[in-house]
mmCIF file of all heavy atoms in Angstrom:
data_model
loop_
_atom_site.group_PDB
_atom_site.id
_atom_site.type_symbol
_atom_site.label_atom_id
_atom_site.label_comp_id
_atom_site.label_asym_id
_atom_site.label_seq_id
_atom_site.Cartn_x
_atom_site.Cartn_y
_atom_site.Cartn_z
ATOM 1 N N PHE A 1 4.385 -4.261 -4.589
ATOM 2 C CA PHE A 1 3.482 -3.366 -3.876
ATOM 3 C C PHE A 1 3.905 -1.913 -4.074
ATOM 4 O O PHE A 1 3.061 -1.028 -4.263
ATOM 5 C CB PHE A 1 3.458 -3.705 -2.381
ATOM 6 C CG PHE A 1 2.439 -4.721 -1.994
ATOM 7 C CD1 PHE A 1 2.804 -6.032 -1.749
ATOM 8 C CD2 PHE A 1 1.102 -4.377 -1.891
ATOM 9 C CE1 PHE A 1 1.863 -6.987 -1.387
ATOM 10 C CE2 PHE A 1 0.140 -5.312 -1.539
ATOM 11 C CZ PHE A 1 0.523 -6.625 -1.290
ATOM 12 N N ALA A 2 5.217 -1.675 -4.015
ATOM 13 C CA ALA A 2 5.719 -0.310 -4.201
ATOM 14 C C ALA A 2 5.362 0.222 -5.580
ATOM 15 O O ALA A 2 4.976 1.390 -5.740
ATOM 16 C CB ALA A 2 7.238 -0.276 -3.989
ATOM 17 N N GLY A 3 5.466 -0.631 -6.599
ATOM 18 C CA GLY A 3 5.112 -0.205 -7.953
ATOM 19 C C GLY A 3 3.646 0.141 -8.087
ATOM 20 O O GLY A 3 3.277 1.146 -8.711
ATOM 21 N N ALA A 4 2.787 -0.686 -7.476
ATOM 22 C CA ALA A 4 1.345 -0.402 -7.517
ATOM 23 C C ALA A 4 1.034 0.910 -6.803
ATOM 24 O O ALA A 4 0.213 1.714 -7.271
ATOM 25 C CB ALA A 4 0.570 -1.554 -6.875
ATOM 26 N N LEU A 5 1.689 1.149 -5.671
ATOM 27 C CA LEU A 5 1.457 2.386 -4.917
ATOM 28 C C LEU A 5 1.985 3.603 -5.659
ATOM 29 O O LEU A 5 1.397 4.686 -5.583
ATOM 30 C CB LEU A 5 2.130 2.281 -3.542
ATOM 31 C CG LEU A 5 1.346 1.496 -2.494
ATOM 32 C CD1 LEU A 5 2.237 1.127 -1.317
ATOM 33 C CD2 LEU A 5 0.138 2.296 -2.014
ATOM 34 N N LEU A 6 3.082 3.445 -6.375
ATOM 35 C CA LEU A 6 3.618 4.572 -7.142
ATOM 36 C C LEU A 6 2.621 5.008 -8.202
ATOM 37 O O LEU A 6 2.397 6.203 -8.420
ATOM 38 C CB LEU A 6 4.950 4.188 -7.784
ATOM 39 C CG LEU A 6 5.686 5.301 -8.538
ATOM 40 C CD1 LEU A 6 6.025 6.469 -7.608
ATOM 41 C CD2 LEU A 6 6.956 4.760 -9.190
ATOM 42 N N GLY A 7 1.987 4.026 -8.866
ATOM 43 C CA GLY A 7 0.949 4.365 -9.835
ATOM 44 C C GLY A 7 -0.227 5.059 -9.178
ATOM 45 O O GLY A 7 -0.794 6.008 -9.721
ATOM 46 N N PHE A 8 -0.579 4.592 -7.975
ATOM 47 C CA PHE A 8 -1.688 5.210 -7.243
ATOM 48 C C PHE A 8 -1.380 6.650 -6.861
ATOM 49 O O PHE A 8 -2.261 7.526 -6.913
ATOM 50 C CB PHE A 8 -1.987 4.381 -5.988
ATOM 51 C CG PHE A 8 -2.913 5.047 -5.017
ATOM 52 C CD1 PHE A 8 -4.277 5.134 -5.274
ATOM 53 C CD2 PHE A 8 -2.430 5.607 -3.844
ATOM 54 C CE1 PHE A 8 -5.136 5.751 -4.381
ATOM 55 C CE2 PHE A 8 -3.275 6.228 -2.945
ATOM 56 C CZ PHE A 8 -4.634 6.300 -3.210
ATOM 57 N N LEU A 9 -0.124 6.934 -6.489
ATOM 58 C CA LEU A 9 0.252 8.281 -6.043
ATOM 59 C C LEU A 9 0.078 9.320 -7.143
ATOM 60 O O LEU A 9 -0.175 10.493 -6.860
ATOM 61 C CB LEU A 9 1.697 8.293 -5.538
ATOM 62 C CG LEU A 9 1.914 7.654 -4.159
ATOM 63 C CD1 LEU A 9 3.409 7.540 -3.846
ATOM 64 C CD2 LEU A 9 1.213 8.468 -3.074
ATOM 65 N N PHE A 10 0.201 8.918 -8.392
ATOM 66 C CA PHE A 10 -0.002 9.855 -9.499
ATOM 67 C C PHE A 10 -1.450 10.367 -9.530
ATOM 68 O O PHE A 10 -1.725 11.433 -10.078
ATOM 69 C CB PHE A 10 0.336 9.192 -10.836
ATOM 70 C CG PHE A 10 1.803 9.132 -11.131
ATOM 71 C CD1 PHE A 10 2.487 7.937 -11.066
ATOM 72 C CD2 PHE A 10 2.510 10.280 -11.456
ATOM 73 C CE1 PHE A 10 3.855 7.878 -11.340
ATOM 74 C CE2 PHE A 10 3.868 10.243 -11.730
ATOM 75 C CZ PHE A 10 4.541 9.027 -11.665
ATOM 76 N N TYR A 11 -2.363 9.596 -8.951
ATOM 77 C CA TYR A 11 -3.778 9.969 -8.942
ATOM 78 C C TYR A 11 -4.239 10.499 -7.585
ATOM 79 O O TYR A 11 -5.408 10.848 -7.440
ATOM 80 C CB TYR A 11 -4.643 8.765 -9.325
ATOM 81 C CG TYR A 11 -4.527 8.380 -10.775
ATOM 82 C CD1 TYR A 11 -3.513 7.537 -11.206
ATOM 83 C CD2 TYR A 11 -5.421 8.861 -11.723
ATOM 84 C CE1 TYR A 11 -3.385 7.172 -12.541
ATOM 85 C CE2 TYR A 11 -5.315 8.512 -13.052
ATOM 86 C CZ TYR A 11 -4.297 7.668 -13.458
ATOM 87 O OH TYR A 11 -4.184 7.319 -14.782
ATOM 88 N N SER A 12 -3.332 10.533 -6.592
ATOM 89 C CA SER A 12 -3.759 10.933 -5.247
ATOM 90 C C SER A 12 -2.958 12.081 -4.654
ATOM 91 O O SER A 12 -3.304 12.581 -3.578
ATOM 92 C CB SER A 12 -3.666 9.733 -4.291
ATOM 93 O OG SER A 12 -2.322 9.328 -4.110
ATOM 94 N N PHE A 13 -1.897 12.517 -5.320
ATOM 95 C CA PHE A 13 -1.081 13.610 -4.785
ATOM 96 C C PHE A 13 -0.555 14.485 -5.922
ATOM 97 O O PHE A 13 -0.118 13.968 -6.953
ATOM 98 C CB PHE A 13 0.102 13.032 -3.987
ATOM 99 C CG PHE A 13 0.942 14.075 -3.309
ATOM 100 C CD1 PHE A 13 0.545 14.620 -2.102
ATOM 101 C CD2 PHE A 13 2.126 14.516 -3.887
ATOM 102 C CE1 PHE A 13 1.317 15.588 -1.469
ATOM 103 C CE2 PHE A 13 2.905 15.478 -3.271
ATOM 104 C CZ PHE A 13 2.493 16.009 -2.054
ATOM 105 N N PRO A 14 -0.622 15.823 -5.752
ATOM 106 C CA PRO A 14 -1.102 16.567 -4.583
ATOM 107 C C PRO A 14 -2.629 16.683 -4.503
ATOM 108 O O PRO A 14 -3.183 16.844 -3.438
ATOM 109 C CB PRO A 14 -0.473 17.939 -4.767
ATOM 110 C CG PRO A 14 -0.308 18.088 -6.237
ATOM 111 C CD PRO A 14 -0.009 16.714 -6.760
ATOM 112 N N LYS A 15 -3.317 16.629 -5.657
ATOM 113 C CA LYS A 15 -4.789 16.674 -5.643
ATOM 114 C C LYS A 15 -5.307 15.279 -5.935
ATOM 115 O O LYS A 15 -4.905 14.652 -6.923
ATOM 116 C CB LYS A 15 -5.326 17.666 -6.675
ATOM 117 C CG LYS A 15 -6.852 17.754 -6.694
ATOM 118 C CD LYS A 15 -7.329 18.837 -7.619
ATOM 119 C CE LYS A 15 -8.860 18.845 -7.739
ATOM 120 N NZ LYS A 15 -9.522 19.040 -6.434
ATOM 121 N N ALA A 16 -6.203 14.807 -5.091
ATOM 122 C CA ALA A 16 -6.677 13.436 -5.205
ATOM 123 C C ALA A 16 -7.820 13.322 -6.199
ATOM 124 O O ALA A 16 -8.827 14.010 -6.072
ATOM 125 C CB ALA A 16 -7.119 12.916 -3.842
ATOM 126 N N ARG A 17 -7.639 12.440 -7.183
ATOM 127 C CA ARG A 17 -8.737 12.087 -8.076
ATOM 128 C C ARG A 17 -9.423 10.811 -7.613
ATOM 129 O O ARG A 17 -10.494 10.460 -8.104
ATOM 130 C CB ARG A 17 -8.205 11.908 -9.503
ATOM 131 C CG ARG A 17 -7.920 13.232 -10.199
ATOM 132 C CD ARG A 17 -7.264 13.026 -11.545
ATOM 133 N NE ARG A 17 -5.815 12.826 -11.414
ATOM 134 C CZ ARG A 17 -5.009 12.538 -12.419
ATOM 135 N NH1 ARG A 17 -5.529 12.393 -13.629
ATOM 136 N NH2 ARG A 17 -3.719 12.383 -12.227
ATOM 137 N N ILE A 18 -8.788 10.115 -6.667
ATOM 138 C CA ILE A 18 -9.374 8.924 -6.060
ATOM 139 C C ILE A 18 -8.700 8.710 -4.713
ATOM 140 O O ILE A 18 -7.525 9.063 -4.529
ATOM 141 C CB ILE A 18 -9.182 7.682 -6.968
ATOM 142 C CG1 ILE A 18 -9.957 6.482 -6.399
ATOM 143 C CG2 ILE A 18 -7.710 7.355 -7.142
ATOM 144 C CD1 ILE A 18 -9.994 5.282 -7.329
ATOM 145 N N PHE A 19 -9.442 8.177 -3.753
ATOM 146 C CA PHE A 19 -8.896 7.862 -2.441
ATOM 147 C C PHE A 19 -8.580 6.370 -2.349
ATOM 148 O O PHE A 19 -9.203 5.542 -3.023
ATOM 149 C CB PHE A 19 -9.884 8.237 -1.334
ATOM 150 C CG PHE A 19 -10.021 9.714 -1.107
ATOM 151 C CD1 PHE A 19 -11.184 10.242 -0.574
ATOM 152 C CD2 PHE A 19 -8.988 10.587 -1.425
ATOM 153 C CE1 PHE A 19 -11.320 11.598 -0.348
ATOM 154 C CE2 PHE A 19 -9.106 11.952 -1.215
ATOM 155 C CZ PHE A 19 -10.274 12.466 -0.675
ATOM 156 N N MET A 20 -7.636 6.049 -1.488
ATOM 157 C CA MET A 20 -7.271 4.659 -1.248
ATOM 158 C C MET A 20 -8.451 3.878 -0.676
ATOM 159 O O MET A 20 -8.682 2.726 -1.043
ATOM 160 C CB MET A 20 -6.080 4.598 -0.282
ATOM 161 C CG MET A 20 -5.558 3.220 -0.010
ATOM 162 S SD MET A 20 -4.213 3.223 1.197
ATOM 163 C CE MET A 20 -2.931 4.083 0.282
ATOM 164 N N GLY A 21 -9.184 4.516 0.219
ATOM 165 C CA GLY A 21 -10.325 3.860 0.842
ATOM 166 C C GLY A 21 -9.891 2.757 1.797
ATOM 167 O O GLY A 21 -8.709 2.418 1.900
ATOM 168 N N ASP A 22 -10.854 2.179 2.496
ATOM 169 C CA ASP A 22 -10.534 1.078 3.408
ATOM 170 C C ASP A 22 -10.057 -0.147 2.646
ATOM 171 O O ASP A 22 -9.265 -0.945 3.168
ATOM 172 C CB ASP A 22 -11.757 0.723 4.249
ATOM 173 C CG ASP A 22 -11.974 1.707 5.391
ATOM 174 O OD1 ASP A 22 -11.063 2.528 5.640
ATOM 175 O OD2 ASP A 22 -13.043 1.672 6.022
ATOM 176 N N SER A 23 -10.535 -0.322 1.429
ATOM 177 C CA SER A 23 -10.067 -1.456 0.620
ATOM 178 C C SER A 23 -8.567 -1.366 0.388
ATOM 179 O O SER A 23 -7.879 -2.394 0.331
ATOM 180 C CB SER A 23 -10.797 -1.483 -0.728
ATOM 181 O OG SER A 23 -10.606 -0.267 -1.442
ATOM 182 N N GLY A 24 -8.047 -0.146 0.294
ATOM 183 C CA GLY A 24 -6.612 0.036 0.091
ATOM 184 C C GLY A 24 -5.827 0.042 1.388
ATOM 185 O O GLY A 24 -4.788 -0.617 1.499
ATOM 186 N N SER A 25 -6.307 0.782 2.389
ATOM 187 C CA SER A 25 -5.554 0.897 3.637
ATOM 188 C C SER A 25 -5.474 -0.439 4.371
ATOM 189 O O SER A 25 -4.431 -0.778 4.950
ATOM 190 C CB SER A 25 -6.180 1.962 4.541
ATOM 191 O OG SER A 25 -7.505 1.629 4.885
ATOM 192 N N LEU A 26 -6.562 -1.226 4.356
ATOM 193 C CA LEU A 26 -6.523 -2.543 4.999
ATOM 194 C C LEU A 26 -5.579 -3.479 4.259
ATOM 195 O O LEU A 26 -4.802 -4.226 4.874
ATOM 196 C CB LEU A 26 -7.928 -3.147 5.053
ATOM 197 C CG LEU A 26 -8.951 -2.418 5.937
ATOM 198 C CD1 LEU A 26 -10.297 -3.127 5.876
ATOM 199 C CD2 LEU A 26 -8.466 -2.331 7.374
ATOM 200 N N LEU A 27 -5.630 -3.447 2.929
ATOM 201 C CA LEU A 27 -4.727 -4.275 2.119
ATOM 202 C C LEU A 27 -3.271 -3.917 2.385
ATOM 203 O O LEU A 27 -2.435 -4.796 2.647
ATOM 204 C CB LEU A 27 -5.050 -4.082 0.634
ATOM 205 C CG LEU A 27 -3.980 -4.554 -0.367
ATOM 206 C CD1 LEU A 27 -3.862 -6.063 -0.348
ATOM 207 C CD2 LEU A 27 -4.297 -4.047 -1.778
ATOM 208 N N ILE A 28 -2.952 -2.633 2.343
ATOM 209 C CA ILE A 28 -1.572 -2.196 2.493
ATOM 210 C C ILE A 28 -1.070 -2.431 3.916
ATOM 211 O O ILE A 28 0.048 -2.933 4.124
ATOM 212 C CB ILE A 28 -1.445 -0.697 2.124
ATOM 213 C CG1 ILE A 28 -1.774 -0.509 0.638
ATOM 214 C CG2 ILE A 28 -0.045 -0.190 2.433
ATOM 215 C CD1 ILE A 28 -0.905 -1.312 -0.302
ATOM 216 N N GLY A 29 -1.882 -2.084 4.913
ATOM 217 C CA GLY A 29 -1.453 -2.271 6.293
ATOM 218 C C GLY A 29 -1.209 -3.734 6.621
ATOM 219 O O GLY A 29 -0.190 -4.085 7.225
ATOM 220 N N PHE A 30 -2.131 -4.602 6.222
ATOM 221 C CA PHE A 30 -1.964 -6.037 6.475
ATOM 222 C C PHE A 30 -0.735 -6.574 5.751
ATOM 223 O O PHE A 30 0.023 -7.380 6.307
ATOM 224 C CB PHE A 30 -3.217 -6.788 6.019
ATOM 225 C CG PHE A 30 -3.122 -8.273 6.186
ATOM 226 C CD1 PHE A 30 -3.440 -8.868 7.403
ATOM 227 C CD2 PHE A 30 -2.721 -9.092 5.134
ATOM 228 C CE1 PHE A 30 -3.357 -10.245 7.562
ATOM 229 C CE2 PHE A 30 -2.629 -10.463 5.290
ATOM 230 C CZ PHE A 30 -2.943 -11.040 6.507
ATOM 231 N N SER A 31 -0.522 -6.154 4.521
ATOM 232 C CA SER A 31 0.617 -6.647 3.740
ATOM 233 C C SER A 31 1.945 -6.182 4.330
ATOM 234 O O SER A 31 2.911 -6.950 4.381
ATOM 235 C CB SER A 31 0.494 -6.184 2.281
ATOM 236 O OG SER A 31 -0.700 -6.678 1.699
ATOM 237 N N LEU A 32 2.006 -4.933 4.778
ATOM 238 C CA LEU A 32 3.230 -4.445 5.422
ATOM 239 C C LEU A 32 3.555 -5.271 6.656
ATOM 240 O O LEU A 32 4.711 -5.675 6.868
ATOM 241 C CB LEU A 32 3.078 -2.968 5.795
ATOM 242 C CG LEU A 32 3.235 -1.946 4.679
ATOM 243 C CD1 LEU A 32 2.798 -0.558 5.152
ATOM 244 C CD2 LEU A 32 4.699 -1.899 4.209
ATOM 245 N N ALA A 33 2.549 -5.521 7.487
ATOM 246 C CA ALA A 33 2.772 -6.294 8.712
ATOM 247 C C ALA A 33 3.175 -7.733 8.385
ATOM 248 O O ALA A 33 4.131 -8.269 8.965
ATOM 249 C CB ALA A 33 1.511 -6.272 9.575
ATOM 250 N N SER A 34 2.470 -8.353 7.445
ATOM 251 C CA SER A 34 2.722 -9.759 7.124
ATOM 252 C C SER A 34 4.105 -9.958 6.506
ATOM 253 O O SER A 34 4.851 -10.875 6.894
ATOM 254 C CB SER A 34 1.647 -10.269 6.159
ATOM 255 O OG SER A 34 0.363 -10.146 6.728
ATOM 256 N N LEU A 35 4.466 -9.113 5.561
ATOM 257 C CA LEU A 35 5.777 -9.244 4.920
ATOM 258 C C LEU A 35 6.897 -8.925 5.898
ATOM 259 O O LEU A 35 7.981 -9.517 5.825
ATOM 260 C CB LEU A 35 5.839 -8.333 3.694
ATOM 261 C CG LEU A 35 4.929 -8.760 2.527
ATOM 262 C CD1 LEU A 35 4.870 -7.675 1.458
ATOM 263 C CD2 LEU A 35 5.420 -10.067 1.916
ATOM 264 N N SER A 36 6.660 -8.006 6.829
ATOM 265 C CA SER A 36 7.665 -7.704 7.846
ATOM 266 C C SER A 36 7.932 -8.929 8.721
ATOM 267 O O SER A 36 9.084 -9.221 9.063
ATOM 268 C CB SER A 36 7.201 -6.539 8.728
ATOM 269 O OG SER A 36 7.103 -5.336 7.983
ATOM 270 N N ILE A 37 6.870 -9.655 9.066
ATOM 271 C CA ILE A 37 7.038 -10.863 9.872
ATOM 272 C C ILE A 37 7.811 -11.920 9.103
ATOM 273 O O ILE A 37 8.740 -12.556 9.629
ATOM 274 C CB ILE A 37 5.657 -11.404 10.306
ATOM 275 C CG1 ILE A 37 4.994 -10.421 11.270
ATOM 276 C CG2 ILE A 37 5.802 -12.769 10.968
ATOM 277 C CD1 ILE A 37 3.552 -10.775 11.613
ATOM 278 N N LEU A 38 7.463 -12.125 7.847
ATOM 279 C CA LEU A 38 8.160 -13.128 7.032
ATOM 280 C C LEU A 38 9.635 -12.778 6.864
ATOM 281 O O LEU A 38 10.498 -13.661 6.836
ATOM 282 C CB LEU A 38 7.492 -13.237 5.659
ATOM 283 C CG LEU A 38 6.109 -13.902 5.626
ATOM 284 C CD1 LEU A 38 5.506 -13.811 4.229
ATOM 285 C CD2 LEU A 38 6.192 -15.353 6.074
ATOM 286 N N LEU A 39 9.938 -11.489 6.777
ATOM 287 C CA LEU A 39 11.324 -11.061 6.578
ATOM 288 C C LEU A 39 12.166 -11.178 7.843
ATOM 289 O O LEU A 39 13.391 -11.318 7.755
ATOM 290 C CB LEU A 39 11.358 -9.606 6.090
ATOM 291 C CG LEU A 39 11.047 -9.375 4.609
ATOM 292 C CD1 LEU A 39 10.795 -7.891 4.346
ATOM 293 C CD2 LEU A 39 12.203 -9.877 3.742
ATOM 294 N N THR A 40 11.541 -11.126 9.006
ATOM 295 C CA THR A 40 12.326 -11.023 10.240
ATOM 296 C C THR A 40 12.249 -12.236 11.157
ATOM 297 O O THR A 40 13.052 -12.336 12.089
ATOM 298 C CB THR A 40 11.865 -9.803 11.064
ATOM 299 O OG1 THR A 40 10.484 -9.956 11.411
ATOM 300 C CG2 THR A 40 12.047 -8.515 10.278
ATOM 301 N N GLN A 41 11.321 -13.158 10.909
ATOM 302 C CA GLN A 41 11.123 -14.252 11.859
ATOM 303 C C GLN A 41 11.576 -15.617 11.379
ATOM 304 O O GLN A 41 11.451 -16.602 12.100
ATOM 305 C CB GLN A 41 9.643 -14.325 12.248
ATOM 306 C CG GLN A 41 9.139 -13.114 12.987
ATOM 307 C CD GLN A 41 9.876 -12.910 14.307
ATOM 308 O OE1 GLN A 41 10.062 -13.839 15.080
ATOM 309 N NE2 GLN A 41 10.296 -11.674 14.559
ATOM 310 N N GLY A 42 12.081 -15.713 10.159
ATOM 311 C CA GLY A 42 12.487 -17.026 9.675
ATOM 312 C C GLY A 42 11.313 -17.948 9.426
ATOM 313 O O GLY A 42 11.463 -19.163 9.380
ATOM 314 N N ASN A 43 10.084 -17.372 9.271
ATOM 315 C CA ASN A 43 8.904 -18.195 8.990
ATOM 316 C C ASN A 43 8.857 -18.631 7.528
ATOM 317 O O ASN A 43 8.184 -19.585 7.187
ATOM 318 C CB ASN A 43 7.626 -17.403 9.300
ATOM 319 C CG ASN A 43 7.478 -17.094 10.776
ATOM 320 O OD1 ASN A 43 7.238 -17.970 11.566
ATOM 321 N ND2 ASN A 43 7.654 -15.830 11.133
ATOM 322 N N ASN A 44 9.541 -17.880 6.680
ATOM 323 C CA ASN A 44 9.444 -18.147 5.250
ATOM 324 C C ASN A 44 10.155 -19.450 4.891
ATOM 325 O O ASN A 44 11.260 -19.721 5.355
ATOM 326 C CB ASN A 44 10.067 -16.971 4.484
ATOM 327 C CG ASN A 44 9.913 -17.123 2.997
ATOM 328 O OD1 ASN A 44 9.045 -17.855 2.547
ATOM 329 N ND2 ASN A 44 10.754 -16.472 2.242
#
């Protein structure tokens, strides 16, 4: 995920040629929460 976001940052900062949009923010937010749970709860 970090690698994909690093590629995205080249197109979004400092001047944005594309926005993350809800398709990106929902994907990233859900993935951060889900992976955090798997890492900390012994569910994996």
